[in-house]
Amino acid sequence: MKYTDTQITFSEFPDEISLLINISGCKFKCLGCHSPELWKDVGTKLTFKELHHLISINKGITCVGFMGGNLKEVNPLAEYVKNIDPPLKVGWYTGGIIEENELLKLEFFDYVKTGPYIKELGGLDCPSTNQKFYKIEHLENETKWINLTYKFWKHGTKG
């Protein structure tokens, strides 16, 4: 798995200062995609050593967001982030439909964004979107998927 670039944002994962890692080689190729440059398999290999470096040079972050990639490669990187000292929150965006998929090792994730971009429905900031943003809440005996998609809508209200 390779990444093309990183950025620090306050909006991709609400209430977090997030280091976003843009993963290349996207297989979804959504019509109207805002990042078609990520369709190609280009960039720097995202190893544990590289991830450690990216985290260490971005002091003050509270979350690492993997923007793309596949679960086989993202799960171990998420586990790595959760096991550093101090652990950071982890978010993942996929253009696929991943809701409550058993391949996702939920114990290593705090946020999951799912769904392909469909131009007619709009992105996460549009109430008609098909995309979903979940906070993964880890309780004593269960894990809850809390739909917080509305936080991206104007005024941040459900209705």
Side-chain angles (χ1 to χ4, degrees), residues 15-35:
D15 306 319
E16 303 293 346
I17 303 168
S18 301
L19 167 65
L20 300 185
I21 303 173
N22 291 310
I23 309 297
S24 66
C26 180
K27 64 181 180 181
F28 297 107
K29 298 179 174 62
C30 302
L31 184 64
C33 173
H34 65 69
S35 302

Side-chain angles (χ1 to χ4, degrees), residues 13 99-100 110-114 132-136 144-149:
F13 298 98
E99 298 174 40
E100 303 191 46
D110 300 282
Y111 305 102
V112 176
K113 290 174 149 187
T114 73
K132 303 285 187 230
F133 174 77
Y134 295 100
K135 179 177 183 178
I136 308 301
K144 283 189 174 182
W145 290 64
I146 302 168
N147 188 336
L148 296 179
T149 308

Side-chain angles (χ1 to χ4, degrees), residues 41-91:
D41 184 19
V42 297
T44 304
K45 189 167 174 71
L46 188 55
T47 61
F48 294 121
K49 182 178 179 179
E50 183 67 14
L51 179 57
H52 178 81
H53 171 72
L54 293 172
I55 292 168
S56 69
I57 63 172
N58 287 286
K59 303 286 186 216
I61 60 172
T62 60
C63 180
V64 174
F66 298 100
M67 306 304 283
N70 67 61
L71 282 174
K72 183 179 177 184
E73 295 171 304
V74 172
N75 276 328
L77 294 172
E79 180 178 7
Y80 177 84
V81 173
K82 288 308 233 182
N83 285 307
I84 62 174
D85 188 25
L88 298 169
K89 291 185 180 171
V90 177

Side-chain angles (χ1 to χ4, degrees), residues 85-135:
D85 188 25
L88 298 169
K89 291 185 180 171
V90 177
W92 182 48
Y93 171 73
T94 176
I97 305 298
I98 193 74
E99 298 174 40
E100 303 191 46
N101 184 311
E102 74 251 12
L103 297 177
L104 182 66
K105 293 190 175 178
L106 286 176
E107 63 269 25
F108 305 126
F109 291 87
D110 300 282
Y111 305 102
V112 176
K113 290 174 149 187
T114 73
Y117 174 73
I118 299 175
K119 187 175 182 178
E120 298 78 31
L121 299 176
L124 275 172
D125 60 345
C126 186
S128 62
T129 189
N130 65 296
Q131 297 178 312
K132 303 285 187 230
F133 174 77
Y134 295 100
K135 179 177 183 178

